[in-house]
Amino acid sequence: MARLGATRRLLGRLGDHARTIPRMSDRGGYAPSVLSPAVDNLVAQLTRLPGIGSRTAHRLAFHLLQVPKAEALALADAIQEVKERVRFCRECGNLTEEEVCAICLDARRDRSVICVVEQPVDLISVERTGEYRGLYHVLGGSLSPLDGVEPEHLRIDELLGRVARNGVQEVVLATNPNMTGEATAAFLADRLRGRVRVTRLASGLPVGGDLEYADEVTLGRALVGRREM
């Protein structure tokens, strides 16, 4: 009986000790009182970036704390500078520090062709191919009624105006090959039909890919878009 009583007293003390340990928070497994409010705020801001979860945000925050102050402040200055200086091109919607971007000002560009993309990052992807030498038009997104994105929220009227006044002969629709991108391409094709030649980026099998790993939609489009050899 004495041994049983001693065991119960020990378990009681362990229980009291466990209640004094701060609970782990749901954010990355850290107790709320471990980090300072400033670090917590930094982590919270980092988690707002696309693709950055709680654990990654904590790693980035700790990295910024460990690097020299000048290096961390250089990042802060770069963010502030880009927010103050970078704007959208008045003509095409690309990112620029001037009223009109360098691509629109380039006299070597073929001004009879406009490639329509959703975001500036898509423009960069097309440029990297080295195969396109026309102009661009950045819509600023894609049609998605479920998300509240209607035609008036995109730079569609600006595109129609450029086609009407600049002697454009072809519009290349390079929106993403997903549901919203295809809907946007179909909408633009309908609005542009009869005014200008409208083409769509081909879609199919990627170079270096294997047929056994291709999905039915991709393989079907590759068959429809087959060409002479």
Side-chain angles (χ1 to χ4, degrees):
M1 293 294 293
R3 184 175 299 175
L4 179 59
T7 302
R8 288 177 175 174
R9 287 193 296 273
L10 177 60
L11 291 176
R13 288 196 296 271
L14 290 175
D16 293 338
H17 176 68
R19 284 192 290 271
T20 64
I21 299 176
R23 292 185 178 181
M24 305 300 279
S25 70
D26 294 332
R27 297 182 304 164
Y30 291 92
S33 60
V34 171
L35 301 178
S36 71
V39 177
D40 272 336
N41 181 50
L42 175 59
V43 170
Q45 297 304 320
L46 290 172
T47 56
R48 300 178 66 178
L49 297 175
I52 302 297
S54 177
R55 294 183 182 277
T56 302
H58 277 93
R59 287 196 294 268
L60 291 173
F62 294 150
H63 172 75
L64 291 173
L65 288 171
Q66 293 170 358
V67 300
K69 182 178 180 180
E71 184 176 337
L73 292 180
L75 174 61
D77 290 341
I79 295 174
Q80 181 177 357
E81 182 179 16
V82 77
K83 293 300 294 182
E84 291 178 349
R85 299 182 59 179
V86 176
R87 67 189 76 179
F88 293 110
C89 174
R90 181 185 63 200
E91 189 72 13
C92 72
N94 186 25
L95 296 176
T96 179
E97 294 186 16
E98 308 296 336
E99 286 292 326
V100 181
C101 71
I103 293 178
C104 289
L105 291 175
D106 190 348
R108 298 169 298 178
R109 291 276 176 170
D110 183 356
R111 300 184 177 276
S112 67
V113 184
I114 292 179
C115 179
V116 180
V117 295
E118 294 181 18
Q119 300 290 354
V121 66
D122 302 321
L123 181 155
I124 295 173
S125 297
V126 177
E127 275 294 285
R128 284 175 178 168
T129 67
E131 298 291 334
Y132 179 74
R133 296 301 302 168
L135 299 179
Y136 291 93
H137 190 85
V138 182
L139 293 174
S142 58
L143 293 175
S144 181
L146 294 178
D147 297 322
V149 182
E150 301 290 346
E152 59 268 21
H153 298 136
L154 304 178
R155 301 185 70 255
I156 294 178
D157 289 339
E158 290 84 347
L159 172 63
L160 298 178
R162 292 180 69 186
V163 170
R165 68 176 181 270
N166 292 346
V168 177
Q169 299 178 10
E170 179 183 359
V171 172
V172 182
L173 300 179
T175 54
N176 292 320
N178 52 30
M179 184 179 297
T180 59
E182 293 291 352
T184 304
F187 180 85
L188 291 176
D190 184 63
R191 294 291 301 272
L192 292 167
R193 189 170 292 111
R195 304 186 185 188
V196 67
R197 180 190 179 200
V198 181
T199 57
R200 180 83 166 110
L201 285 187
S203 58
L205 298 173
V207 175
D210 296 328
L211 287 179
E212 63 176 306
Y213 300 119
D215 61 90
E216 291 82 358
V217 175
T218 299
L219 189 55
R221 290 184 176 181
L223 285 170
V224 172
R226 64 188 185 277
R227 58 186 175 82
E228 295 283 345
M229 291 289 290

